[in-house]
């Protein structure tokens, strides 16, 4: 029998080509390698982003997410420098005549303790030369200094005062990056996907700052190891836990409190972290005689174990839940759960790997007592990923890996709560999918001034069977009625049942990524980037703000993957030894196959979503400016973004004019001008102060532009979609932190944080509704505001 010849895919040959290139480079000269791990000397936390360089040379490296570094150089005697903002610089004299391992511990700088850090920076020359752009990194200490609503430290709201990032108004969940929608952001907590980032419908985020070590937001130039979203990646890493001694941190606020415990375990071969938060606003509501209640809780867990010098295991998890009850007749709960088992392995002084087994779940429940039924929905995924990094030499570093994600979508199930209920149990069709990817990415120093980062990701999506699928005449779930001038939903003509072993639809995409950094001189550089990304799952929401009951759905026969192309150009400059810095970036981004909704679309409890949507495209472009003062008693930044975010939805196969006659119109999250001024001032050891000032163009909305009478009923007519805007949004927040006298020998350290959110009591419009006064018959508009002025007091402690 003739044996079938095995064929290798494009990703296989690309990997082989890059490995061959790297092997050629590494053998071009005889180098020796220094490698090891970098950690905090006080608590043992690994330090991500530490700069390591050989003084007097251009040879350097940056520690990875697990503190590992590798640096190669010709034989000789060198001064090795380790630098991380907020820590004392460490130098080591090394004689490099063989490969060696060097683990180091850095200590916090006493001169920095009274200052607010803006970000963990590399030395200025390394930062300017690094081909990384459209990236925002906040130091967790900075996040804790910012004034926030109700005194609760919030990572998401801190990101929203950076260029290119905004929200959809007060009380709205999620965030928008460079004109993208909420579902176009990939949010990761220790590599696990978080599908809903909000507590209490957007008032707080799911990230407990006491449990977070660092965070990085990629607005563009997304590295090839990330995929599945077309707008941004927010990579949040939890603390590993104090491996030196037992420690406790926490805080008591007006409506919530938090507590984090950490310490060594396994005979000092590992450590643990347990952090929890809970709100108690519902208790005050009950005491006030209110029938309504709303509260949340979450729990962060993490532990690690050193098997030996080259192998380490991590186990982390997150569990969070929100609970609502409206008058005893309506209840709701939603939350995330995730877990990750990771194995770090160091093959040798050049090759580092990480294997992860990840689980994520997001679900919500609605209980409607007067109808005697509950509504339950969820999305689950199981993820296996293997990432490797090879340090060929100082000029060439290579990342490569593979991943597979299995999705299970449960769009909804109705469960009667009373046997006598007239409601029948209903299960919407569950949907399954498998998303796989392979990637390779190189960081290549081409000359002393020019550095490149280039790579490609190959992704494959399989919409799996196990459900029936409707068939429509001419494959058209929607048809435009020229007489009535509306889109009409078509009745299915047949139903095809797919077995679980069958594929309903498959998609494959190559996603190239490239960025270049050219250092103009010692203090400035220009950077250029391009990235292509594919997104195979979609959030179905026809509201201006994301809600917990919005439904995720996979690509398939009627919903195509979103494909984005983004170009970015930036200029970066440091002043006075990095005391001041400036970043200016311009971007242009397009997204194909962006879904939109017909007028009057119904997405909840709908088994035929394809009859509610049209396929279109979107684009966003703009300019971002960030001016920072990085050092001194006063630190802060000015961020300004001018941008446009638009979409266009023609009728396509359904015919007709589409949305707004197929013309471009503003997306619901378009903000033309977005300005924020953030400052922090350390007066002395006892007192420090912070302030935020924010201005944003009002978000687009649709207003009625007239009315007519039909059989004695007044009917409103509306302008084009998103043709109007809410009033401009602006507010000022301030805070003061008081630290009582601290005796050096006392481990207990406490501080009081006093804050005022929205100092001038600005009643910013969350929405404007139109109606008719029942007494006078006059038309009237009603503004709804979420917050006025909100004072807060929080006591934070550390032991």
């Amino acid at each position: 029998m003739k044996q079938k010849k095995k064929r290798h895919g494009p990703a296989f040959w690309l990997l082989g080509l890059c490995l061959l290139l790297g092997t050629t480079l590494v053998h071009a000269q005889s180098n020796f390698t220094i490698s090891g791990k970098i950690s905090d000397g006080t608590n043992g936390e690994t330090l991500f982003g530490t700069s390591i360089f050989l003084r007097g040379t251009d040879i350097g490296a940056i520690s990875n997410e697990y503190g590992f570094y590798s640096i190669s150089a010709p034989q000789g005697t060198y001064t090795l420098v380790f630098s991380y903002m907020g820590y004392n610089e460490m130098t080591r004299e090394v004689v490099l005549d063989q490969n060696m391992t060097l683990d180091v511990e850095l200590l916090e700088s006493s001169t920095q303790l009274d200052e607010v850090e803006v970000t963990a920076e590399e030395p200025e020359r390394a930062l300017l030369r690094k081909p990384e752009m459209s990236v925002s990194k906040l130091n967790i200490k900075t996040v804790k200094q910012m004034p926030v609503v109700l005194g609760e430290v919030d990572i998401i709201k801190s990101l929203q005062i950076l260029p290119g990032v905004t929200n959809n108004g007060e009380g709205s969940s999620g965030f928008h990056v460079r004109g993208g929608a909420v579902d176009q952001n990939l949010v990761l907590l220790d590599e696990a996907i978080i599908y809903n980032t909000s507590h209490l419908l957007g008032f707080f985020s799911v990230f407990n700052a006491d449990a977070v070590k660092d965070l990085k937001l990629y607005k563009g130039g997304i590295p090839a190891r990330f995929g599945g979203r077309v707008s941004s990646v927010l990579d949040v890493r939890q603390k590993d836990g104090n491996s030196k001694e037992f420690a406790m941190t926490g805080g008591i606020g007006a409506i919530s409190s938090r507590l984090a415990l950490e310490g060594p375990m396994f005979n000092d071969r590992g450590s643990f972290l347990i952090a929890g938060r809970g709100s108690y606003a519902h208790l005050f509501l009950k005491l006030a005689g209110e029938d309504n209640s709303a509260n949340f809780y979450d729990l962060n867990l993490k532990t690690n174990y050193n098997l030996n010098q080259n192998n380490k295991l991590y186990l982390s998890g997150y569990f969070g839940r929100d609970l609502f009850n409206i008058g005893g007749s309506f209840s709701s709960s939603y939350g995330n759960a995730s877990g990750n088992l990771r194995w770090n392995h160091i093959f040798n002084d050049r090759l580092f790997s990480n294997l992860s087994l990840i689980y994520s779940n997001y679900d919500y429940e609605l209980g409607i007592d007067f109808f005697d039924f509950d509504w339950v929905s969820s999305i689950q995924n199981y993820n296996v990923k293997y990432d490797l990094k090879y340090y060929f030499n100082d000029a060439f570093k290579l990342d490569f890996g593979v991943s597979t994600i299995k999705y299970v979508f449960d769009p909804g199930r109705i469960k009667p709560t009373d046997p006598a209920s007239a409601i029948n149990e209903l299960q919407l069709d569950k949907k399954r999918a498998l998303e796989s990817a392979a990637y390779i990415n190189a960081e290549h120093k081409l000359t002393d001034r020019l550095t490149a980062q280039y790579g490609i990701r190959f992704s494959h999506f399989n919409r799996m069977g196990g459900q029936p699928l409707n068939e429509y005449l001419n494959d058209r779930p929607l048809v435009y009625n020229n007489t009535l001038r509306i889109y009409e939903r078509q009745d299915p003509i047949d139903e095809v049942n797919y077995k679980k072993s069958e594929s309903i639809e498959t998609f494959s995409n190559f996603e190239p990524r490239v960025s270049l950094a050219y250092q103009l001189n010692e203090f400035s550089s220009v950077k250029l980037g391009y990235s292509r990304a594919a997104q195979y799952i979609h959030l179905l929401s026809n509201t201006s703000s994301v809600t917990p009951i919005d439904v995720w759905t996979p690509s398939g026969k009627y919903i195509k993957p979103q494909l984005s192309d983004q170009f970015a150009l930036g200029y970066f400059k440091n002043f006075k030894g990095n005391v001041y810095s400036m970043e200016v970036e311009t971007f242009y981004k397009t997204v194909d196959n962006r879904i939109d909704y017909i007028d009057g679309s119904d997405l909840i409890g709908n088994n035929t979503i394809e009859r509610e949507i049209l396929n279109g495209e979107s684009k966003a472009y703009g300019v971002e400016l960030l001016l920072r003062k990085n050092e001194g008693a006063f630190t802060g930044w000015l961020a300004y973004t001018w941008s446009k975010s638009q979409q266009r939805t023609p009728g396509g196969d359904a015919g007709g004019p589409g949305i707004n006659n197929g013309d471009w119109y503003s997306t619901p999250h378009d903000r033309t001008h977005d300005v924020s001024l953030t400052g922090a001032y350390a007066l002395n050891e006892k007192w420090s102060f912070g302030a935020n000032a924010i201005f944003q163009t009002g978000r687009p909305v649709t207003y009625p532009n007239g009315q007519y009478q039909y059989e004695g009923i007044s009917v409103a007519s509306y302008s084009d979609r998103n043709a109007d805007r809410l009033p401009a949004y602006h507010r000022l927040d301030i805070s003061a932190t008081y630290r009582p006298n601290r005796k050096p020998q006392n481990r207990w350290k406490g501080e009081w944080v006093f804050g005022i959110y929205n100092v001038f009591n600005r009643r910013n419009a969350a929405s404007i509704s139109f109606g008719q006064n029942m007494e006078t018959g006059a038309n009237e508009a009603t503004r709804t505001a979420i917050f006025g002025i909100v004072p807060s007091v929080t006591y934070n402690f550390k032991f």
Side-chain angles (χ1 to χ4, degrees):
M1 183 175 69
K2 187 176 180 180
Q3 190 174 20
K4 186 177 180 181
K5 185 178 180 180
K6 185 177 180 180
R7 301 184 64 184
H8 296 293
F12 175 87
W13 295 112
L14 178 65
L15 175 61
L17 178 62
C18 288
L19 288 173
L20 179 62
L21 173 61
T23 304
T24 302
L25 288 170
V26 76
H27 287 294
Q29 57 179 334
S30 178
N31 285 349
F32 295 103
T33 301
I34 307 173
S35 63
K37 294 182 179 179
I38 304 172
S39 58
D40 185 305
T42 303
N43 55 34
E45 290 280 350
T46 55
L47 297 179
F48 169 36
T50 304
S51 176
I52 309 99
F53 62 98
L54 300 178
R55 180 165 289 165
T57 75
D58 288 329
I59 300 174
I62 304 296
S63 62
N64 71 4
E65 293 87 343
Y66 305 98
F68 179 79
Y69 75 95
S70 178
I71 187 170
S72 299
Q75 181 176 347
T77 301
Y78 298 95
T79 300
L80 187 60
V81 182
F82 300 87
S83 178
Y84 192 84
M85 176 168 271
Y87 288 75
N88 290 321
E89 184 177 271
M90 176 180 287
T91 60
R92 291 286 181 90
E93 298 297 324
V94 294
V95 178
L96 198 58
D97 56 6
Q98 61 180 347
N99 294 336
M100 60 186 296
T101 299
L102 180 61
D103 296 337
V104 300
E105 293 184 341
L106 302 182
L107 296 176
E108 282 193 276
S109 171
S110 58
T111 60
Q112 291 286 331
L113 292 179
D114 295 331
E115 299 175 6
V116 179
E117 302 168 32
V118 173
T119 182
E121 295 288 350
E122 306 143 23
E124 55 191 78
R125 291 186 64 190
L127 178 64
L128 292 172
R129 188 171 57 240
K130 189 173 179 63
E132 183 179 77
M133 63 184 305
S134 305
V135 174
S136 298
K137 185 178 181 182
L138 277 178
N139 187 291
I140 198 65
K141 293 180 182 178
T142 306
V143 175
K144 291 184 176 182
Q145 291 285 339
M146 296 179 181
V148 291
V149 63
L150 299 174
E152 183 69 26
V153 174
D154 196 306
I155 287 174
I156 298 296
K157 287 184 171 56
S158 300
L159 290 172
Q160 291 169 358
I161 57 177
L162 293 173
V165 188
T166 187
N167 63 4
N168 218 30
E170 289 178 324
S172 64
S173 62
F175 58 99
H176 304 274
V177 177
R178 289 185 168 176
V182 170
D183 71 313
Q184 295 175 336
N185 303 316
L186 177 63
V187 181
L188 302 172
L189 179 61
D190 273 355
E191 301 183 301
I193 300 174
I194 301 298
Y195 289 97
N196 190 320
T197 61
S198 73
H199 281 310
L200 297 184
L201 302 178
F203 294 141
F204 306 108
S205 79
V206 299
F207 301 112
N208 182 348
D210 288 341
V212 171
K213 178 165 60 174
D214 57 65
L215 59 144
K216 209 169 187 179
L217 177 67
Y218 298 89
K219 300 180 292 184
I222 299 172
R225 69 180 182 272
F226 296 115
R229 300 294 188 276
V230 296
S231 189
S232 74
V233 176
L234 175 59
D235 188 14
V236 181
R237 302 280 173 159
Q238 293 187 134
K239 291 180 178 178
D240 298 334
N242 194 318
S243 62
K244 302 288 187 178
E245 61 183 2
F246 176 81
M248 177 174 64
T249 57
I252 302 172
I255 66 168
S256 67
S257 291
R258 63 191 192 279
L259 180 66
L261 307 175
E262 53 186 319
M265 62 188 306
F266 306 124
N267 294 322
D268 294 333
R269 298 190 67 175
S271 60
F272 75 92
L273 169 74
I274 302 175
R277 286 189 304 174
S279 67
Y280 32 76
H282 61 292
L283 300 178
F284 297 121
L285 292 174
K286 288 183 178 180
L287 291 175
E290 289 281 347
D291 291 334
N292 304 332
S293 67
N295 66 295
F296 74 88
Y297 65 87
D298 55 27
L299 181 67
N300 297 77
L301 303 169
K302 193 169 184 179
T303 185
N304 62 83
Y305 180 70
N306 285 297
L307 297 171
N308 52 44
Q309 181 69 19
N310 295 326
N311 295 278
K312 190 170 186 178
L313 294 177
Y314 293 86
L315 178 64
S316 60
Y318 169 80
F319 310 91
R321 199 109 198 127
D322 282 71
L323 306 168
F324 296 87
N325 192 293
I326 309 298
S329 59
F330 172 85
S331 62
S332 171
S333 71
Y334 66 92
N336 298 277
S338 68
N340 186 3
L341 175 62
R342 284 178 288 171
W343 170 39
N344 284 175
H345 176 61
I346 301 174
F347 287 94
N348 51 49
D349 52 14
R350 295 178 184 273
L351 182 59
F352 179 91
S353 72
N354 181 73
L355 174 65
S356 298
L357 307 176
I358 308 166
Y359 169 79
S360 293
N361 178 80
Y362 172 69
D363 68 275
Y364 60 82
E365 299 180 10
L366 291 177
I368 304 179
D369 292 347
F370 52 84
F371 284 137
D372 296 323
F373 75 87
D374 288 341
W375 173 271
V376 183
S377 181
S378 67
I379 176 175
Q380 294 179 336
N381 72 258
Y382 306 86
N383 186 2
V384 180
K385 60 193 296 285
Y386 193 39
D387 302 295
L388 301 99
K389 183 159 189 171
Y390 197 93
Y391 300 79
F392 283 102
N393 53 34
D394 174 58
F396 193 82
K397 302 174 181 66
L398 194 67
D399 297 276
F400 52 98
V402 294
S403 66
T404 297
I405 305 176
K406 179 183 178 181
Y407 295 99
V408 179
F409 303 84
D410 185 353
R413 178 163 59 100
I414 293 177
K415 300 187 302 182
T417 56
D418 187 339
S421 172
I423 302 295
N424 295 322
E425 185 164 346
L426 172 65
Q427 171 67 64
L428 298 183
D429 295 335
K430 288 187 177 182
K431 303 170 185 178
R432 298 168 180 84
L434 191 68
E435 181 178 345
S436 303
Y439 74 90
I440 189 165
N441 187 80
E443 185 174 327
H444 193 175
K445 187 166 69 174
L446 301 170
T447 69
D448 288 342
R449 290 179 176 268
L450 180 63
T451 306
Q453 181 173 279
Y454 50 88
I456 192 166
R457 182 182 183 88
F458 177 75
S459 58
H460 178 77
F461 189 81
N462 182 3
R463 172 69 182 277
M464 302 163 65
Q467 67 167 102
L469 198 67
N470 289 328
E471 296 280 320
Y472 300 92
L473 182 65
N474 298 322
D475 278 340
R476 297 165 69 185
L478 278 173
V479 173
Y480 186 73
N481 187 317
N482 285 292
T483 303
L484 300 178
R485 296 184 179 181
I486 61 172
Y487 283 97
E488 293 184 333
R489 303 168 178 88
Q490 299 301 290
D491 294 327
I493 59 173
D494 197 6
E495 186 178 84
V496 178
N497 283 288
Y498 289 87
K499 298 178 181 178
K500 288 186 178 180
S501 59
E502 294 181 294
S503 294
I504 296 176
E505 198 88 9
T506 61
F507 306 93
S508 296
N509 284 284
F510 283 100
E511 305 171 37
R513 322 276 174 88
V514 61
S515 58
L516 298 169
Y518 184 77
Q519 191 168 349
L520 299 172
N521 52 48
E522 188 178 354
F523 307 106
S524 62
S525 67
V526 292
K527 299 182 183 183
L528 174 68
Y530 164 76
S531 63
R532 182 172 178 83
Q535 178 171 336
Y536 299 100
I537 67 172
H538 316 260
L539 185 64
L540 299 176
S541 175
N542 58 359
T543 60
S544 60
S545 178
V546 175
T547 69
I549 60 173
D550 293 330
V551 178
W552 288 87
T553 192
S555 297
K557 184 175 181 180
Y558 300 106
I559 301 178
K560 305 305 178 185
Q562 300 179 67
L563 300 174
S564 75
D565 292 281
Q566 181 174 176
F567 300 86
L569 176 65
Y571 175 73
F572 303 81
K573 186 175 179 61
N574 294 322
F575 305 90
K576 294 186 177 180
N578 204 36
V579 174
Y580 300 91
S581 62
M582 178 181 71
E583 302 174 15
V584 182
E585 288 193 41
T586 181
F587 68 92
Y588 183 83
K589 177 172 62 178
T590 62
V591 179
D592 295 331
N593 303 325
R594 180 62 183 165
I595 58 176
D596 206 346
Y597 309 95
I598 62 172
D599 294 333
S601 59
D602 181 15
L603 303 179
I604 304 301
N606 192 335
N607 222 11
T608 56
I609 292 296
E610 64 272 9
R611 302 195 300 171
E612 310 294 327
I613 61 177
L614 292 171
N615 288 300
E617 59 181 329
S618 66
K619 64 180 179 181
Y621 51 91
V623 179
E624 300 168 355
L625 170 67
L626 179 63
L627 297 174
R628 298 185 299 185
K629 185 176 185 296
N630 300 314
E631 300 176 12
F634 175 78
T635 58
W637 65 83
L638 169 67
Y640 171 69
T641 304
W642 177 91
S643 64
K644 293 296 294 180
S645 176
Q646 298 176 308
Q647 62 189 76
R648 177 171 62 184
T649 309
D653 293 339
I659 307 299
N660 283 9
N661 294 314
D663 296 330
W664 290 101
Y665 64 96
S666 297
T667 65
H669 35 271
D670 174 64
R671 304 273 194 174
T672 308
H673 301 282
D674 190 341
V675 188
S676 61
L677 179 62
T678 301
Y681 178 68
L683 178 64
N684 51 43
E685 293 184 356
K686 290 186 177 182
W687 285 97
S688 60
F689 303 91
N692 295 329
I694 297 171
F695 173 88
Q696 295 174 339
T697 302
R699 63 177 176 83
V701 291
T702 305
Y703 287 159
N705 59 2
Q707 65 179 25
Y708 58 92
Q709 297 292 323
Y710 179 75
E711 295 184 354
I713 300 175
S714 180
V715 180
S717 63
Y718 287 84
S719 62
D720 288 343
R721 189 174 296 187
N722 294 344
D724 304 288
R725 288 186 181 270
L726 292 175
Y729 177 99
H730 59 84
R731 74 168 199 271
L732 173 67
D733 313 325
I734 60 174
S735 70
T737 301
Y738 172 69
R739 304 175 185 88
N741 288 325
R742 298 175 176 176
K743 297 180 180 180
Q745 66 272 21
N746 290 350
R747 288 194 60 195
W748 183 276
K749 298 178 181 179
E751 65 179 22
W752 292 91
V753 181
F754 307 93
I756 301 178
Y757 179 90
N758 196 359
V759 172
F760 297 113
N761 198 29
R762 163 80 176 175
R763 307 296 292 182
N764 289 296
S767 65
I768 294 180
S769 59
F770 295 85
Q772 192 174 43
N773 189 299
M774 299 302 294
E775 296 181 357
T776 65
N779 295 325
E780 58 185 13
T782 303
R783 173 189 294 207
T784 301
I786 304 296
F787 287 120
I789 185 171
V790 182
S792 63
V793 178
T794 303
Y795 178 72
N796 297 321
F797 57 87
K798 180 186 296 185
F799 176 76

